[in-house]
Each structure stands twice: as C-alpha cells, then as structure tokens.
Amino acid sequence: MDEATLERFAKELAAVVACNESCRGAPKFCSPREIAKAAAAFAQLGRVAIISGFYIPAAKAPETDGPGGAAVLARAFLKEGRSCEIWTDALCLDVMRAGARAAGCPEDIAREAPSSLDGAAPEGIIFIERPGRAADGRYYNFRKQDISRWTAPLDSFAYEAASRGIVTAGIGDGGNEAGMGNFRKGLCALLPDYVSCLSVVRTDFSIAADISNMGAYALALALSLVWGRMRGIERGDETKILEAVVSAGAVDGISGRRETSVDGFKAAVLEKKVSLLNALRRRYAGLGISGS
Ligand code: ZN
Ligand code: ZN
C-alpha cells in the first residue's frame, strides 16, 4: 500500500468520523496523516494491548464509548493473526468483556491491566477513550468533575511505553483522554474554560474523533487497507455490541442513562456512519481491501 493512497483513504475516513458533530472541539484536531501513520505503524506489530474503559461515578457504571472501539480493533488484530489483549480496570471489566464477546472475540481477551509492563510488554499500546491525567495529575470528566477516585492510572502506561520504545496511539473525543495531550496547545486555545481538565498525556500518534469508538473504527479500516484484507467493523456490529454492553450495565456518557447510544448518538445513527465507512471501504476495494 503506497503512502499517498493510505493518506487519501484516511482523509475520507476522517471526514466521516471527525466532522465535529459532537461540537466539543477536539475532533477539529483530527489529522488524516495521524490515522495513516498510526495504521502503518501498528500494522507491523505482532503483539498489541488496547486500553479502554471510562467509569461514570454518578451513574455507577462505565460509559458506552470505548468498549465497541476496543472490541472491533482487537478483533482486527486477532483476525490478522496478531496477539491482542484489552486492558481495563475492575470497574469496567464486565462491560469490556460483554463488548468483546458480542464482537466475536474470546471473552478472556479483556482483563484487568497488569501493574507494569514487566513481563507483559506488548509492542504497541492503543488507548481508546481512557481518562488521561490533567496538569495537576488528576482525572476529570467532561463536566469538570474530579473522577480520580474511580480512575485507575492506566494512562501511566503511556509514560512507561515511551521509556521502553513501545509505540503508542491515543483515541479521544473530548480532550480529557490519554493521547489528547498531543493537541494540548490547540485545545487550550479552543476550550479556555476546560484547560484545567485537559489531559497532558501524549502518545506517538493521536486520533481525535466525534466519538472515540468511531475513531477506532476508522483506524481498523485504515489497518485493513495496509493489510489488504477487510478487518473493520461490519454491518450490524455496532448495534450488537451496544446492546451487549448496555445489558452488562454501561450507560451513555452524556445522558448517564442505560440506553443504546454513545455520547448522545443513537444506535441507528451510528449504524449509518458505519455504512458510510463501509461504502468508502468498498470504493477502495480495488486498491487493496478484499473481503465482503
Ligand atoms: Zn471522551
Ligand atoms: Zn466519547
């Protein structure tokens, strides 16, 4: 796959997943180049860990954004014969497992994160909608509430990975997630009232999207193009995964209610986005992605 084609594809993917429909600002910093570069780098790796799970204390439940992206990306790596685990914390584990199972991954692919990378070091780590610490070392949600008590410091793997030469990517949508530190300067200017909550955690590649799950789906399709095989999200996956994670207790991160929506976007709307992504993928079929 030549670089120019991959970047052109990434540009079209970004137009679907980062059109700033959420009006939260972060997707403005979505760069097709970053999607392309992340796909080119992660496509080469044999062992990947995905870190996800965002707990909403007010609802006493994890949110629906994250598990779908983690499950679809993990499935992509597994189908391609790579090894992949989903790491999360105890509070988000059941929901993460339910999402993985609904996507057809083995359930034990999701586990509580190890305490360090000693003996468990993957070659690459992808954060999806995982809280990233702010400048004061604490974690905040989009309502500016301090959620540190409920947030295991899994973003520290970004620092540990950097010191070990492990490649990292971060996918987020609000600016408070691991990886969004790459856009900090721009986000501070754009969201002056939210500066104290913005994450300082940087990753090698950073993808901002309207919804983090959608950013992960875009990456799975970009990987598919590099691999030359369809490893992305299929029609119906989004609804199936959402129903499973909500049954396991997940809530919409914006409404705080147990409903099959993500950040206020209903399942049917998300399925439409997925079909736009797959229409793009079919257009690129002749250039390398085989499969249905
Ligand atoms: Zn978010
Ligand atoms: Zn989100």
Side-chain angles (χ1 to χ4, degrees):
M1 175 49 46
D2 67 283
E3 232 173 88
T5 306
L6 178 58
E7 232 181 281
R8 208 167 67 235
F9 185 50
K11 198 172 169 186
E12 299 204 58
L13 293 172
V16 176
V17 303
C19 41
N20 205 28
E21 275 189 319
S22 57
C23 300
R24 290 202 278 167
K28 284 204 173 118
F29 300 99
C30 181
S31 146
R33 263 211 107 149
E34 287 281 294
I35 299 176
K37 276 164 40 189
F42 277 85
Q44 311 305 322
L45 306 182
R47 224 167 44 251
V48 175
I50 293 168
I51 301 181
S52 189
F54 202 123
Y55 190 76
I56 315 276
K60 296 195 174 65
E63 67 160 294
T64 51
D65 199 8
V72 166
L73 261 181
R75 187 180 66 187
F77 285 109
L78 291 185
K79 276 189 175 172
E80 195 57 25
R82 315 300 165 93
S83 105
C84 185
E85 285 185 330
I86 299 171
W87 293 353
T88 188
D89 54 57
L91 292 171
C92 299
L93 187 58
D94 286 349
V95 159
M96 211 55 74
R97 284 205 165 133
R101 197 187 316 124
C105 296
E107 188 175 293
D108 61 5
I109 195 172
R111 51 170 285 200
E112 265 189 71
S115 51
S116 92
L117 293 177
D118 290 338
E123 295 166 294
I125 295 176
I126 303 173
F127 295 90
I128 305 172
E129 189 65 15
R130 181 68 202 180
R133 67 198 64 188
D136 64 359
R138 304 195 68 82
Y139 301 93
Y140 297 92
N141 65 12
F142 80 100
R143 290 202 171 87
K144 300 189 193 172
Q145 290 155 339
D146 186 334
I147 54 166
S148 307
R149 244 182 80 197
W150 299 270
T151 307
L154 304 189
D155 59 336
S156 63
F157 285 119
Y159 298 111
E160 203 183 334
S163 71
R164 291 173 183 242
I166 295 168
V167 59
T168 53
I171 302 174
D173 54 16
N176 53 337
E177 304 93 351
M180 294 299 105
N182 293 35
F183 307 125
R184 190 168 163 78
K185 218 173 139 196
L187 282 167
C188 284
L190 190 71
L191 307 169
D193 298 337
Y194 195 62
V195 169
S196 57
C197 304
L198 289 170
S199 179
V200 296
V201 178
R202 302 174 60 94
T203 44
D204 295 321
F205 308 104
S206 185
I207 299 170
D210 296 322
I211 300 168
S212 296
N213 277 348
M214 285 290 159
Y217 302 158
L219 180 58
L221 280 172
L223 281 163
S224 299
L225 189 69
V226 180
W227 287 327
R229 281 172 292 272
M230 169 54 180
R231 304 298 191 208
I233 184 162
E234 307 273 3
R235 189 168 157 196
D237 278 342
E238 177 71 5
T239 309
K240 205 166 35 173
I241 296 170
L242 261 181
E243 283 170 356
V245 299
V246 171
S247 297
V251 297
D252 183 298
I254 303 284
S255 73
R257 284 196 300 266
R258 272 179 76 172
E259 51 197 2
T260 51
S261 61
V262 183
D263 296 343
F265 293 86
K266 299 237 174 309
V269 176
L270 299 169
E271 281 288 355
K272 271 198 194 125
K273 290 205 166 273
V274 167
S275 50
L276 285 175
L277 289 175
N278 277 319
L280 272 177
R281 186 250 301 174
R282 279 189 292 273
R283 269 190 28 225
Y284 279 77
L287 293 169
I289 307 181
S290 60
S292 54

